[in-house]
């Protein structure tokens, strides 16, 4: 049997053990004569998990279920402009609301398919979302009439089958006797695996009554226990490697440390051991960036030279929650071989070339911290270059990429959530040190342009729940045009993000990837400062728009206390050079261009009409 087959089998055994412990807990709960509607049961479960907002679009197959949502005092329906934006919003909400999940409700066929890109992105980036779909009644599914929103060929399971490609678990509720157990199963999988799940709720079944006693037993969201003997062996092997490395080890933190909720455990490891710590782009703010032993962002060959040298010369790398995608690794240019690497993941641990299936980092990290703490004094002898990004002195008053991002760093505060669109913004902000308690949100792996607009809505709402002070979005004019409608939902909902629009008249990241002068990378130039008023705001009262043409105007705005207080939604249009880009983006684009192997230049005349 291959190593991967063993790992898959071990993972399935672990999952089944976890599910069995949940079933036993329900069996021990005393039954009662109290009943509840299936739809109410689902809503109550979501409320128990800390969900305060449900995103989506109403449709005739989910309207009855939405009555239960609207009538509940602890959860709010947030109607979105379209299902794609709703999926993005649920994604952003889940990223901020650690330990909870995002919820999206759509209608059968037309609604759920519109949301699928957003669900796929959440799957790719390990984000827990419950996608609830209102579907035709159980009798209609059985008899298969040619209903609206169907394909007209009787395949009522087509959308379900499609959804299973982008979710970790799925359920089609068909009987009241099993409805509660199925709901609990998919919610448990969503939380434990940190990935989307899919739940079909038929119109008639939502109003069937079932016993309510299961609600007395909370959903078991804790990861499965590690096998104690295997875990101890893995710990011994890691400690031996640290000793062999003579304490010349560094910690590299990535996205899954955030997604699988081990931030507190990582913080303990970092501070109690004293090892230098770095982050991958998708792991930005997984570690306090004001911490004295934090060295910055490692992105393979496009890293700052000091960071690259420190990471790649270390004798041992403790990698936590790695997601080794192209944009997260400098186009796969990591120079840290397996022989010098220990990888900790949510469901397995790898020590050099040996894999330990089922040994998850949530339970391993505290024990590893205790075992490595004695190395603290020696580890602190390792130097860590200061993570700084000073504002450069430039001759021009044009807002340049090299000046913009360190200047923005001076604007950021503790308890800010900074959202950066894929491309210019996400690359530009990476090298900016964030204050303690600030959070970074971006979609570097899936990279769906326009994602940040809907996501910012969910981020801001989750941020309100958790006491974050400001939500700040950086987005290019091209990306904003894809999903701009959701600004109207922000206005209606009363959230107050600051939205910086980089007006560089097109898709700058794509210009660098290919086609600097091509028309397909151009867009229409909108009247950006009129948008908020058009989409339902009242300029000067509920919203405020600004146009900044140069460094002086932008600095004056950033220093304005009224603007910085973020007490209303604000949009700032910044005029920028279409050919300007962050240096990291330029290096990444060069590497990606080589990988894509586009023809450098077409011969004269090719492609023209003849």
């Amino acid at each position: 049997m291959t190593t991967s087959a063993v790992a898959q089998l071990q993972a399935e055994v672990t999952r089944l053990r976890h599910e069995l412990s949940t079933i036993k807990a329900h069996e021990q709960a005393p039954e009662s004569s109290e009943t509840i509607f299936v739809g109410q049961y689902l809503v109550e479960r979501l409320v128990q998990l800390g969900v305060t907002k449900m995103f989506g679009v109403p449709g005739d197959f989910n309207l009855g279920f939405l009555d239960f949502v609207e009538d509940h005092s602890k959860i709010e329906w947030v109607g979105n402009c379209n299902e794609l934006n709703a999926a993005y919003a649920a994604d952003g909400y889940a990223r901020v609301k650690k330990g909870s999940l995002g919820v999206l409700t759509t209608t059968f066929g037309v609604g759920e398919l519109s949301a699928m890109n957003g669900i796929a992105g959440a799957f790719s980036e390990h984000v827990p979302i419950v996608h609830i779909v209102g579907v035709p009644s159980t009798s209609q599914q059985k008899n298969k009439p040619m209903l609206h929103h169907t394909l007209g060929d009787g395949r009522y399971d087509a959308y379900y089958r499609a959804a299973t490609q982008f979710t970790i678990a799925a359920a089609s509720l068909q009987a009241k006797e099993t409805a509660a157990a199925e709901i609990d199963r998919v919610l448990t999988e969503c939380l434990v695996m940190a990935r989307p799940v899919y739940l079909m709720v038929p119109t008639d079944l939502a109003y069937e009554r079932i016993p309510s006693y299961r609600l007395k037993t909370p959903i078991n969201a804790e990861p499965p226990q590690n096998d104690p003997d295997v875990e101890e062996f893995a710990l011994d092997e890691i400690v031996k490697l640290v000793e062999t490395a003579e304490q010349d080890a560094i910690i590299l933190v990535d996205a899954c440390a955030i997604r699988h909720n081990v931030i507190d455990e990582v913080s303990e490891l970092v501070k109690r051991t004293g090892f230098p710590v770095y982050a991958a782009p998708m792991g930005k703010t997984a570690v306090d960036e004001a911490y004295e032993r934090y060295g910055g962002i490692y992105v393979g060959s496009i890293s700052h030279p000091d960071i690259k040298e420190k990471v790649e010369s270390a004798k041992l790398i403790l990698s936590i929650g790695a997601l080794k995608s192209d944009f997260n690794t400098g186009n796969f240019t990591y120079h840290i071989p397996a022989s010098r690497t220990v990888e900790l993941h949510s469901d397995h641990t790898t020590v050099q070339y040996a894999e330990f299936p089922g040994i998850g980092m949530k339970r391993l990290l505290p024990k590893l911290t205790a075992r490595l703490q004695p190395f603290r004094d020696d580890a602190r002898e390792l130097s860590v270059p200061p993570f700084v990004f000073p504002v450069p002195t430039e001759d021009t008053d044009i807002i340049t990429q090299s000046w913009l991002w360190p200047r923005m760093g001076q604007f950021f505060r503790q308890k800010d959530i900074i959202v950066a669109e894929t491309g210019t913004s996400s690359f530009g902000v990476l090298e900016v040190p964030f204050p303690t308690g600030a959070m970074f949100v971006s979609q570097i792996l899936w990279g769906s342009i326009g994602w940040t607009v809907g996501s910012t809505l969910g981020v801001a709402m989750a941020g309100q729940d958790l006491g974050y002070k400001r939500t700040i979005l950086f987005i290019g004019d091209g990306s904003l045009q894809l999903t701009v409608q959701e600004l109207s939902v922000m206005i209606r909902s009363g959230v107050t993000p600051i939205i910086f629009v980089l007006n560089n008249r097109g898709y700058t990241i794509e210009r660098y990837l290919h086609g600097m002068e091509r028309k397909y990378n151009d867009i229409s130039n909108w009247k950006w400062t009129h948008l908020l008023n058009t989409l339902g705001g009242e300029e000067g009262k509920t919203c405020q728009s600004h146009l900044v043409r140069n460094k002086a105007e932008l600095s004056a705005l950033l220093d304005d206390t009224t603007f910085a207080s973020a007490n209303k939604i604000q949009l700032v249009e910044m005029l920028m050079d279409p050919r300007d880009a962050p240096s990291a983006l330029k290096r990444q684009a060069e590497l990606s261009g080589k990988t894509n192997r586009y023809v450098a230049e077409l011969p004269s005349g090719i492609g023209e009409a003849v």
Side-chain angles (χ1 to χ4, degrees), residues 482-533:
L482 270 77
T483 48
V484 69
Q485 311 98 310
E486 230 51 38
L487 297 182
S488 67
V489 182
M490 296 179 197
I491 294 168
R492 189 185 77 229
S493 302
V495 295
T496 60
I498 300 174
I499 302 159
F500 290 96
V501 181
L502 283 64
N503 184 351
N504 45 23
R505 301 191 294 282
Y507 302 121
T508 294
I509 184 173
E510 295 187 4
R511 293 189 197 281
Y512 274 90
L513 287 168
H514 184 75
M516 181 63 74
E517 304 298 336
R518 291 290 186 176
K519 293 179 181 178
Y520 49 67
N521 285 325
D522 297 337
I523 63 168
S524 301
N525 190 26
W526 288 7
K527 296 181 179 178
W528 297 104
T529 55
H530 295 191
L531 267 181
L532 296 180
N533 206 52

Coordinates of all heavy atoms in Angstrom, one line a residue, residues 482-533:
L482 N -16.0 44.4 -11.1 CA -16.7 43.0 -11.1 C -17.8 42.9 -10.1 O -18.8 42.2 -10.4 CB -15.6 41.9 -10.9 CG -15.0 41.4 -12.2 CD1 -13.9 42.4 -12.7 CD2 -14.3 40.0 -12.0
T483 N -17.6 43.5 -8.9 CA -18.5 43.1 -7.8 C -19.0 44.4 -7.1 O -19.3 44.3 -5.9 CB -17.8 42.2 -6.8 OG1 -16.5 42.7 -6.5 CG2 -17.6 40.8 -7.4
V484 N -19.0 45.5 -7.8 CA -19.2 46.8 -7.1 C -20.6 46.9 -6.4 O -20.7 47.7 -5.5 CB -19.0 47.9 -8.2 CG1 -20.1 47.9 -9.2 CG2 -18.9 49.3 -7.5
Q485 N -21.6 46.1 -6.9 CA -22.9 46.3 -6.3 C -22.9 46.1 -4.8 O -23.8 46.7 -4.1 CB -23.9 45.2 -6.9 CG -23.8 45.1 -8.4 CD -22.9 44.0 -8.9 OE1 -21.8 43.8 -8.4 NE2 -23.5 43.1 -9.8
E486 N -22.0 45.4 -4.3 CA -22.1 45.1 -2.8 C -21.8 46.3 -2.0 O -22.0 46.3 -0.8 CB -21.1 43.9 -2.5 CG -21.7 42.9 -1.7 CD -23.1 42.3 -2.2 OE1 -23.2 42.2 -3.5 OE2 -24.0 42.0 -1.4
L487 N -21.3 47.4 -2.6 CA -21.1 48.6 -1.8 C -22.5 49.1 -1.3 O -22.6 49.7 -0.3 CB -20.5 49.7 -2.7 CG -19.1 49.5 -3.2 CD1 -18.6 50.7 -4.0 CD2 -18.1 49.2 -2.0
S488 N -23.5 48.8 -2.1 CA -24.9 49.2 -1.7 C -25.3 48.5 -0.5 O -26.1 49.0 0.4 CB -25.9 49.0 -2.9 OG -26.0 47.7 -3.2
V489 N -24.9 47.2 -0.4 CA -25.3 46.4 0.8 C -24.6 46.9 2.0 O -25.1 47.0 3.2 CB -25.1 44.9 0.6 CG1 -25.5 44.1 1.8 CG2 -25.8 44.5 -0.7
M490 N -23.3 47.3 1.9 CA -22.6 47.9 3.0 C -23.3 49.2 3.5 O -23.4 49.4 4.7 CB -21.1 48.3 2.5 CG -20.3 47.1 2.1 SD -18.6 47.7 1.5 CE -18.1 46.2 0.7
I491 N -23.7 50.0 2.5 CA -24.4 51.3 2.9 C -25.7 50.9 3.7 O -26.0 51.5 4.7 CB -24.7 52.1 1.7 CG1 -23.4 52.6 1.1 CG2 -25.6 53.3 2.1 CD1 -23.5 53.2 -0.3
R492 N -26.5 50.0 3.1 CA -27.7 49.6 3.8 C -27.5 49.0 5.1 O -28.3 49.2 6.1 CB -28.5 48.7 2.9 CG -29.9 48.4 3.3 CD -30.6 47.3 2.5 NE -30.1 46.0 2.8 CZ -29.7 45.1 1.9 NH1 -29.6 45.3 0.6 NH2 -29.3 43.9 2.3
S493 N -26.4 48.2 5.3 CA -26.2 47.5 6.5 C -25.5 48.4 7.6 O -25.4 47.9 8.7 CB -25.3 46.3 6.3 OG -26.0 45.4 5.3
G494 N -25.0 49.5 7.2 CA -24.4 50.4 8.2 C -23.0 50.1 8.5 O -22.4 50.7 9.5
V495 N -22.3 49.2 7.8 CA -20.8 49.0 8.0 C -20.1 50.2 7.4 O -20.5 50.8 6.4 CB -20.3 47.7 7.5 CG1 -21.0 46.6 8.3 CG2 -20.6 47.5 6.0
T496 N -18.9 50.5 7.9 CA -18.2 51.7 7.5 C -16.7 51.5 7.1 O -15.8 52.1 7.6 CB -18.2 52.7 8.6 OG1 -17.6 52.2 9.8 CG2 -19.7 53.1 9.0
P497 N -16.5 50.6 6.1 CA -15.1 50.4 5.6 C -14.6 51.7 4.9 O -15.3 52.5 4.4 CB -15.2 49.2 4.7 CG -16.6 49.4 4.1 CD -17.5 49.8 5.3
I498 N -13.2 51.8 4.9 CA -12.6 52.7 4.1 C -12.1 52.0 2.8 O -11.3 51.0 3.0 CB -11.4 53.4 4.8 CG1 -11.9 54.1 6.1 CG2 -10.6 54.4 3.9 CD1 -10.7 54.6 6.9
I499 N -12.5 52.4 1.7 CA -12.2 51.7 0.4 C -11.2 52.6 -0.4 O -11.6 53.7 -0.9 CB -13.5 51.5 -0.4 CG1 -14.4 50.6 0.5 CG2 -13.2 50.8 -1.7 CD1 -15.9 50.7 0.0
F500 N -10.0 52.1 -0.5 CA -9.0 52.8 -1.4 C -9.0 52.2 -2.8 O -8.7 51.0 -2.9 CB -7.6 52.7 -0.8 CG -7.4 53.5 0.5 CD1 -7.5 52.9 1.7 CD2 -7.1 54.8 0.4 CE1 -7.4 53.6 2.9 CE2 -6.9 55.6 1.6 CZ -7.0 55.0 2.8
V501 N -9.4 53.0 -3.8 CA -9.4 52.5 -5.1 C -8.2 52.9 -5.9 O -7.9 54.1 -6.1 CB -10.7 53.0 -5.9 CG1 -10.7 52.4 -7.3 CG2 -11.9 52.6 -5.1
L502 N -7.4 52.0 -6.3 CA -6.1 52.3 -7.1 C -6.6 52.4 -8.5 O -6.7 51.4 -9.2 CB -5.1 51.2 -6.9 CG -4.3 51.1 -5.6 CD1 -5.2 50.8 -4.4 CD2 -3.2 50.1 -5.7
N503 N -6.7 53.7 -9.0 CA -7.2 53.9 -10.3 C -5.9 54.0 -11.3 O -5.3 55.0 -11.4 CB -7.9 55.2 -10.4 CG -8.5 55.5 -11.8 OD1 -8.2 54.8 -12.8 ND2 -9.3 56.5 -12.0
N504 N -5.6 52.8 -11.8 CA -4.5 52.7 -12.8 C -5.0 52.3 -14.1 O -4.2 51.7 -14.9 CB -3.3 51.8 -12.3 CG -3.9 50.5 -11.7 OD1 -5.0 50.1 -12.0 ND2 -3.1 49.9 -10.8
R505 N -6.3 52.5 -14.4 CA -6.9 52.4 -15.7 C -6.7 51.0 -16.3 O -6.3 50.9 -17.5 CB -6.4 53.5 -16.6 CG -6.7 54.9 -16.1 CD -6.5 55.9 -17.1 NE -5.1 56.1 -17.5 CZ -4.1 56.7 -16.8 NH1 -4.4 57.2 -15.6 NH2 -2.9 56.8 -17.2
G506 N -6.9 49.9 -15.5 CA -6.9 48.6 -16.1 C -6.3 47.6 -15.1 O -6.2 47.8 -13.9
Y507 N -6.0 46.4 -15.7 CA -5.5 45.3 -14.9 C -4.0 45.3 -14.9 O -3.3 44.7 -15.8 CB -6.0 44.0 -15.5 CG -7.5 43.9 -15.6 CD1 -8.2 43.7 -16.8 CD2 -8.3 44.0 -14.5 CE1 -9.5 43.6 -16.9 CE2 -9.7 43.9 -14.5 CZ -10.3 43.7 -15.8 OH -11.7 43.6 -15.8
T508 N -3.4 46.0 -13.9 CA -2.0 46.1 -13.9 C -1.2 44.8 -13.7 O -0.2 44.5 -14.4 CB -1.6 47.1 -12.8 OG1 -2.1 48.4 -13.1 CG2 0.0 47.2 -12.6
I509 N -1.7 43.9 -12.9 CA -1.1 42.6 -12.7 C -1.0 41.8 -14.0 O 0.0 41.2 -14.4 CB -1.7 41.8 -11.6 CG1 -0.9 40.5 -11.4 CG2 -3.2 41.5 -11.8 CD1 -1.3 39.7 -10.2
E510 N -2.1 41.9 -14.8 CA -2.2 41.2 -16.0 C -1.3 41.9 -17.1 O -0.7 41.2 -17.9 CB -3.6 41.1 -16.5 CG -4.4 40.2 -15.6 CD -5.8 39.9 -16.1 OE1 -6.1 40.3 -17.2 OE2 -6.6 39.3 -15.4
R511 N -1.1 43.2 -17.0 CA -0.2 43.9 -17.9 C 1.2 43.3 -17.7 O 2.0 43.1 -18.7 CB -0.2 45.4 -17.7 CG -1.5 46.1 -18.0 CD -1.3 47.6 -17.9 NE -2.6 48.3 -17.9 CZ -3.4 48.6 -18.9 NH1 -3.0 48.1 -20.1 NH2 -4.5 49.3 -18.7
Y512 N 1.6 43.1 -16.5 CA 2.9 42.6 -16.2 C 3.0 41.1 -16.5 O 4.1 40.6 -16.9 CB 3.3 42.8 -14.7 CG 3.9 44.2 -14.6 CD1 3.1 45.3 -14.3 CD2 5.3 44.4 -14.7 CE1 3.7 46.6 -14.2 CE2 5.9 45.6 -14.6 CZ 5.1 46.7 -14.4 OH 5.6 48.0 -14.3
L513 N 1.9 40.3 -16.4 CA 2.0 38.9 -16.8 C 2.1 38.8 -18.3 O 2.9 38.0 -18.8 CB 0.7 38.2 -16.3 CG 0.7 38.0 -14.7 CD1 -0.7 37.5 -14.3 CD2 1.7 36.9 -14.3
H514 N 1.3 39.6 -19.0 CA 1.4 39.5 -20.5 C 0.5 40.6 -21.1 O -0.7 40.8 -20.6 CB 0.9 38.1 -21.0 CG 1.0 37.9 -22.4 ND1 2.1 37.6 -23.1 CD2 0.0 37.9 -23.4 CE1 1.9 37.5 -24.4 NE2 0.7 37.7 -24.6
G515 N 0.9 41.2 -22.1 CA 0.1 42.2 -22.8 C 0.1 43.6 -22.2 O -1.0 44.2 -22.0
M516 N 1.3 44.2 -22.0 CA 1.4 45.5 -21.4 C 0.6 46.5 -22.2 O 0.0 47.4 -21.6 CB 2.9 45.9 -21.3 CG 3.1 47.3 -20.7 SD 2.6 47.4 -19.0 CE 3.9 46.5 -18.1
E517 N 0.6 46.4 -23.5 CA -0.1 47.4 -24.3 C -1.4 46.9 -24.9 O -2.0 47.6 -25.8 CB 0.8 47.9 -25.5 CG 2.1 48.5 -25.0 CD 2.0 49.7 -24.1 OE1 0.9 50.4 -24.2 OE2 2.9 50.0 -23.3
R518 N -1.8 45.7 -24.6 CA -3.0 45.1 -25.2 C -4.3 45.7 -24.7 O -4.4 46.1 -23.5 CB -3.0 43.6 -24.9 CG -1.9 42.8 -25.6 CD -2.1 42.7 -27.1 NE -1.2 41.8 -27.7 CZ -1.2 41.5 -29.0 NH1 -2.2 42.1 -29.8 NH2 -0.3 40.8 -29.6
K519 N -5.3 45.8 -25.6 CA -6.5 46.4 -25.2 C -7.3 45.6 -24.2 O -8.1 46.2 -23.5 CB -7.4 46.7 -26.5 CG -6.8 47.7 -27.4 CD -7.7 47.8 -28.7 CE -7.1 48.8 -29.6 NZ -7.9 49.0 -30.9
Y520 N -7.1 44.3 -24.2 CA -7.9 43.5 -23.3 C -7.6 43.7 -21.8 O -8.3 43.3 -20.9 CB -7.7 42.0 -23.6 CG -6.3 41.4 -23.8 CD1 -5.4 41.4 -22.7 CD2 -5.9 40.9 -25.0 CE1 -4.2 40.8 -22.9 CE2 -4.7 40.4 -25.2 CZ -3.8 40.3 -24.1 OH -2.5 39.8 -24.3
N521 N -6.5 44.4 -21.6 CA -6.2 44.8 -20.2 C -6.6 46.2 -19.8 O -6.3 46.7 -18.7 CB -4.7 44.7 -19.9 CG -4.2 43.2 -19.8 OD1 -5.0 42.4 -19.3 ND2 -3.0 42.9 -20.3
D522 N -7.4 46.9 -20.7 CA -7.9 48.2 -20.5 C -9.4 48.0 -20.0 O -10.0 47.0 -20.2 CB -8.0 49.0 -21.8 CG -6.6 49.3 -22.3 OD1 -5.6 49.3 -21.5 OD2 -6.5 49.6 -23.5
I523 N -9.8 49.0 -19.2 CA -11.2 49.0 -18.7 C -11.8 50.4 -18.9 O -11.1 51.4 -19.2 CB -11.3 48.6 -17.3 CG1 -10.6 49.7 -16.4 CG2 -10.8 47.2 -17.0 CD1 -10.9 49.5 -14.9
S524 N -13.1 50.6 -18.7 CA -13.7 51.9 -18.7 C -13.4 52.6 -17.5 O -13.2 52.1 -16.4 CB -15.3 51.7 -18.8 OG -15.7 51.0 -19.9
N525 N -13.2 53.9 -17.6 CA -12.8 54.8 -16.4 C -14.1 55.3 -15.8 O -14.7 56.3 -16.4 CB -11.9 55.9 -16.9 CG -11.3 56.6 -15.7 OD1 -11.2 56.0 -14.6 ND2 -11.0 57.9 -15.8
W526 N -14.6 54.8 -14.7 CA -15.8 55.2 -14.1 C -15.6 56.5 -13.3 O -14.5 56.9 -13.0 CB -16.3 54.1 -13.1 CG -16.8 52.9 -13.8 CD1 -16.8 52.6 -15.1 CD2 -17.4 51.8 -13.1 NE1 -17.4 51.4 -15.3 CE2 -17.8 50.8 -14.1 CE3 -17.7 51.5 -11.8 CZ2 -18.4 49.6 -13.8 CZ3 -18.4 50.3 -11.5 CH2 -18.7 49.4 -12.5
K527 N -16.7 57.1 -13.0 CA -16.7 58.3 -12.1 C -16.8 57.7 -10.7 O -17.8 57.7 -10.0 CB -17.9 59.2 -12.4 CG -17.7 59.8 -13.8 CD -18.9 60.8 -14.1 CE -18.7 61.4 -15.5 NZ -19.9 62.3 -15.8
W528 N -15.6 57.4 -10.1 CA -15.6 56.6 -8.9 C -16.1 57.4 -7.7 O -16.8 56.8 -6.8 CB -14.1 56.2 -8.6 CG -13.6 55.2 -9.7 CD1 -12.7 55.5 -10.7 CD2 -13.9 53.9 -9.8 NE1 -12.5 54.4 -11.4 CE2 -13.2 53.4 -10.9 CE3 -14.8 53.0 -9.1 CZ2 -13.3 52.1 -11.4 CZ3 -14.9 51.7 -9.5 CH2 -14.2 51.2 -10.7
T529 N -15.9 58.7 -7.6 CA -16.4 59.4 -6.5 C -17.9 59.7 -6.5 O -18.4 60.2 -5.5 CB -15.6 60.8 -6.4 OG1 -15.8 61.5 -7.6 CG2 -14.1 60.6 -6.1
H530 N -18.6 59.2 -7.5 CA -20.0 59.3 -7.6 C -20.7 58.0 -7.1 O -21.9 58.0 -7.0 CB -20.5 59.7 -9.0 CG -20.1 61.0 -9.4 ND1 -20.6 61.6 -10.6 CD2 -19.2 61.9 -8.9 CE1 -20.0 62.8 -10.7 NE2 -19.2 63.0 -9.7
L531 N -19.9 57.0 -7.0 CA -20.5 55.6 -6.8 C -21.3 55.5 -5.5 O -22.4 55.0 -5.5 CB -19.3 54.6 -6.7 CG -18.9 53.9 -8.0 CD1 -17.8 52.9 -7.6 CD2 -20.1 53.2 -8.6
L532 N -20.8 55.9 -4.4 CA -21.5 55.7 -3.1 C -22.8 56.4 -3.1 O -23.8 55.9 -2.6 CB -20.6 56.2 -1.9 CG -19.3 55.4 -1.7 CD1 -18.5 56.0 -0.5 CD2 -19.6 53.9 -1.5
N533 N -22.9 57.6 -3.6 CA -24.1 58.4 -3.7 C -25.1 57.6 -4.6 O -26.3 57.5 -4.3 CB -23.9 59.8 -4.2 CG -24.9 60.8 -3.7 OD1 -25.2 60.8 -2.5 ND2 -25.5 61.5 -4.6

